[in-house]
Amino acid sequence: MKVFCLYSVIGLATIVGQTTLLRMPVFQGVFYDLLIPLVVFMRLHLTFTEASLLTLILGFVMDLFSGGVFGLYMTVYVWIFLLVQGVSDYFNVRGTACRSALIAFCVVGQNLIFLTSTAHPWKGWHWLSAQIWPALGQIILAAVTGPAVLSLLETMHRSLKAPEAISSRGKGSMLGNDE
Amino acid sequence: MFSKRLLTTFCLILFAAVNIILLSISAKHRQGYSSCDRVVMAGIAPFQEGVTQAARFCEHVWRHYFSLVSARQEADHLKETLARIRLEQSQHLESEIACQRFRKLLMLDTETPLFQRLLPAQIVGLDPSIWFRTVIINKGVYDGVSEGMPVIAPEGIVGQIVAASYRYSKVLLVTDRSSAIDGLVQRTRTRGIVEGEAKAYCHFKYVVRKAEISIGDTVVSSGLDGVFPKGLRVGSVMGISKSPSGIFQEVSIRPFVDFERLEEVLVIVE
């Protein structure tokens, strides 16, 4: 429950941050969706129930603040949630380069889903040129900073888990189970 | 009977199909905020408002106390602008008097104001994606805002309300690709549809080839779409291209409103 609440707060704070500060003109719209590394992290480190519930909640809230079709963000996060474990196991994602590729791939996927939802082929594609560069900027930024965000979350998760491990070991020793 | 891999692939395809169907249903039927959405908005949007106001305060401090270097230049520039505006104002006053005279002659009602009530609101949040153009404002159902109401700024049209919660509302900007306004060129009265196109500009569509339009012409709302009152400024013509074939010309418009720096808006509530 503690973990669930903590990641809910982190997720909601991220949503508030990226709908206010990160959309300021100074960032030129190149900041990618920071909930993507969070969803990836949650899938890899939290229990299935916790991670799936948090993914749905965060997707729902993002959909409320977004101007797209309701359910688009939820779709993106759920697909990341479904595929990331398999991809991670299959390619043995451990190093920085692999993590960077994983986050960048997720951002590409998100942009493709959004592009599909906004595209009207009968209206032409000339509008796309204005969107290509910010999207490319997002993908590069995700590849560069994604592993750092994941590492930060892992450090935080370890520090959260450490006191629990110590307390459980303490309880074990009190019961005489500790070697 | 079936291998695990085949079963997984089948499940993923099935999930994708269900996902697409649900999104289609959502796109077609879901409009505005439900009660549950409103509760969630009421819980999160105040934090957005707080962060936005804190950021604006910092920006304000920076602009007013640390960036005084260019203040003198700006003051000179503003004085020039003010002088020009005063001249324009006197011309407008003359036009207004003439207009009132003609209205009296035609026995039209001069007492009806253009807008019964304008509700000022602050932008507290922006769309998190680069693909959609919406903003969240700090006025909602409690303040008399409802879906479909036009939103303007002193410079021109901003957009319209697409969803309203108790205290906050979502505004679809004119630059969003799903936005459309019935407009006309102020000088020649040529009609067309202003559609959102990309970050900085809109398209003025369905303008016949023979219509006379020049770069710099002002496009205003025609009032025929039933959302925006007639005569609200939308933007100025920034590009015209006529293809060798086809009955329409391609016109692009730069909106008068600077959406990157927009902070306050007015909702036309009546």
Side-chain angles (χ1 to χ4, degrees), chain A residues 2 7 13 17 20 51 53 94 124 127 138 142 175 179:
Chain A
K2 190 176 153 190
Y7 285 99
T20 52
L53 209 59
R94 292 285 178 271
W127 60 277
Q138 284 190 349
L175 292 167
E179 287 177 3

Side-chain angles (χ1 to χ4, degrees), chain A residues 19-20 23 25 29 60-61 64-68 70-73 75 78-79 82 111 114 118 126-127 130-131, chain B residues 12 15-16 19 26 30 33 37 44 48 51-52 124-127 129-134 170 177 197-198 203 260:
Chain A
T19 52
T20 52
R23 294 294 291 154
F60 173 77
V61 177
L64 286 186
F65 288 105
S66 163
F70 190 87
L72 264 183
Y73 273 96
T75 297
V78 167
W79 276 104
L82 287 176
N111 278 305
F114 287 171
T118 50
H126 46 89
W127 60 277
Q131 300 293 91
Chain B
L12 283 177
F15 183 74
N19 196 177
S26 167
R30 194 184 159 96
Y33 286 133
D37 301 347
I44 297 169
Q48 262 191 328
V51 172
T52 305
V124 296
L126 303 168
D127 200 297
S129 163
I130 55 165
W131 298 94
F132 315 107
R133 311 253 178 260
T134 55
K170 196 193 289 180
R177 295 197 68 239
E197 189 62 34
H203 257 202
E260 296 291 316

